[in-house]
Amino acid sequence: MASKLKHILKSQQFSREWLEEEFFPLSSEMKKAVLAGQTLDDLKDKTVCLLFYEPSTRTRVSFQQAALKLGALAVATENAKEFSSAVKGETMKDTTRIINAYHFDAIVIRSDYEGAAEEAASVSEAPIINAGDGAGQHPTQSLLDIFTIHEHFGKVDGLRVAFVGDLKYGRTVRSLSYLLGKFKDIKVHLVAPESLQMREDILEYYKENGIEFEAHSDIAEIVDKVDVIYMTRAQKERMNEGEDADGAGVVLNRELLDKVSEKSIIMHPLPRSSDINEIPEELTDDPRMMIFKEAENGLFTRMALLKMVIQ
Ligand code: NCD
């Protein structure tokens, strides 16, 4: 049986050993069971509370479905910013104390500020799962991303990964960076307008963990040089006045995709934006496009994670 996890707060907390020996195998097991149509009741009589203070489709629905697929019940507020007592000025700590008082077995939180999940965890008996905290981290997205990468290539060591788009405010690229740091011989290409380049804390982490990195402003420079092109959306909702959302929209078009190796893959945490169109609709069915496979893996990996924190 997989070892028990207390909280899931940030990607740095995971070791390579845990990823390879526990997380990948359990996620694959969940995938097999779901695809075979098996009914699982590992979390029968357990309850999960989802508190979402920011918009979400994938993360919220896949966590709900992950709970249901394991026989647990999920209760969700899909707009906690408006419908919870946050409106009345209640703190994250107090809200967490309340959810604990109702004896849930796990609490999944998406909030609009960095550090919210850690704040909640500091007063919670029930495991807290960070489902995105502002421009901070999104550890469960990075776990489904690394699972998808590992599943496709059969390894992570030695891969060349391009992070493209809004790297300053995108939390998924931050969390995935932390996971890549657990592996060997990784090279990262950072493609973004200068004002939206990866923040210093992640660059420091690259240096400390032996990740070679290079910044670029033009995606054309890297399309034929990497194994993974990880596209992102401009995080307009997090930008300060004067920051250029349109400038963050680095686009992968047909001409560029034609230069990408047949062996490489394109990823995106989604949603892709229909105004900037960073991955145009007409490229969706290209065999290198992993974007919906990634989302589907979100179900299996979140089932594994719920099992690991609750059982
Ligand atoms: C991401 C997020 O919320 O950070 N979405 C997701 O969970 N798949 C990416 C984004 O919103 O751009």
Side-chain angles (χ1 to χ4, degrees):
M1 199 173 109
S3 55
K4 180 126 172 112
L5 269 181
K6 181 62 187 161
H7 302 291
I8 298 175
L9 302 176
K10 48 187 187 179
S11 292
Q12 303 90 304
Q13 78 183 75
F14 301 111
S15 66
R16 175 180 184 143
E17 203 178 27
W18 177 84
L19 288 166
E20 292 183 329
E21 289 169 22
E22 307 205 25
F23 174 67
F24 294 154
L26 189 58
S27 299
S28 300
E29 200 185 300
M30 295 295 105
K31 181 168 188 166
K32 250 200 215 142
V34 172
L35 296 183
Q38 277 175 31
T39 306
L40 302 173
D41 63 356
D42 307 54
L43 299 185
K44 190 168 170 290
D45 299 328
K46 303 291 184 186
T47 53
V48 179
C49 183
L50 291 96
L51 283 176
F52 275 59
Y53 294 83
E54 270 194 346
S56 169
T57 303
R58 275 146 290 273
T59 309
R60 181 168 48 83
V61 178
S62 64
F63 262 117
Q64 280 175 305
Q65 176 70 329
L68 296 172
K69 286 275 182 200
L70 289 165
L73 278 173
V75 172
T77 52
E78 47 186 59
N79 186 355
K81 189 121 182 116
E82 220 173 290
F83 296 134
S84 78
S85 290
V87 179
K88 303 177 186 171
E90 187 168 64
T91 62
M92 181 58 79
K93 280 187 182 169
D94 269 1
T95 303
T96 307
R97 289 182 177 111
I98 292 302
I99 308 297
N100 268 270
Y102 302 149
H103 297 270
F104 280 94
D105 297 292
I107 307 172
V108 182
I109 301 177
R110 166 165 291 190
S111 84
D112 56 354
Y113 65 95
E114 257 179 270
E118 281 177 293
E119 219 172 283
S122 72
V123 297
S124 189
E125 266 304 307
I128 299 291
I129 300 180
N130 179 3
D133 62 335
Q137 282 212 40
H138 194 348
T140 68
Q141 175 70 41
S142 68
L143 288 166
L144 75 87
D145 286 333
I146 200 112
F147 175 78
T148 305
I149 291 172
H150 184 263
E151 187 180 46
H152 183 84
F153 293 102
K155 62 165 193 173
V156 180
D157 287 337
L159 293 179
R160 297 155 301 167
V161 179
F163 287 132
V164 183
D166 179 354
L167 309 183
K168 179 175 177 187
Y169 295 112
R171 53 195 174 197
T172 67
V173 290
R174 294 172 54 76
S175 285
L176 187 51
S177 292
Y178 284 121
L179 291 185
L180 289 174
K182 311 287 175 182
F183 293 86
K184 284 200 271 272
D185 304 324
I186 303 289
K187 168 126 198 206
V188 169
H189 293 271
L190 303 164
V191 186
E194 216 181 303
S195 61
L196 294 167
Q197 260 298 352
M198 193 66 95
R199 283 183 265 159
E200 200 54 46
D201 58 339
I202 298 291
L203 302 183
E204 271 309 307
Y205 178 85
Y206 289 157
K207 286 180 202 154
E208 282 162 15
N209 290 274
I211 295 186
E212 205 186 318
F213 64 94
E214 203 177 321
H216 308 259
S217 53
D218 185 358
I219 187 175
E221 289 172 19
I222 57 90
V223 280
D224 56 348
K225 294 188 181 63
V226 294
D227 304 291
V228 178
I229 301 180
Y230 191 102
M231 303 294 295
T232 64
R233 168 184 77 87
Q235 308 279 306
K236 290 185 185 174
E237 69 274 33
R238 306 197 198 289
M239 289 182 188
N240 296 311
E241 222 172 290
E243 281 181 318
D244 181 10
D246 291 336
V250 187
V251 172
L252 184 72
N253 57 28
R254 167 58 63 195
E255 194 192 332
L256 289 162
L257 186 60
D258 284 345
K259 299 200 172 87
V260 175
S261 156
E262 290 304 319
K263 294 201 182 102
S264 301
I265 58 172
I266 318 295
M267 301 177 74
H268 191 308
L270 300 178
R272 51 179 161 171
S273 55
S274 50
D275 48 352
I276 290 173
N277 219 11
E278 63 270 10
I279 301 181
E281 168 65 27
E282 59 270 23
L283 305 186
T284 305
D285 295 329
D286 187 282
R288 292 162 288 187
M289 207 55 76
M290 287 294 132
I291 56 179
F292 291 102
K293 200 176 222 178
E294 246 175 298
E296 188 185 4
N297 280 338
L299 171 65
F300 314 129
T301 50
R302 287 177 173 129
M303 286 171 74
L305 295 173
L306 283 177
K307 255 178 78 99
M308 286 192 253
V309 297
I310 295 177
Q311 259 188 346

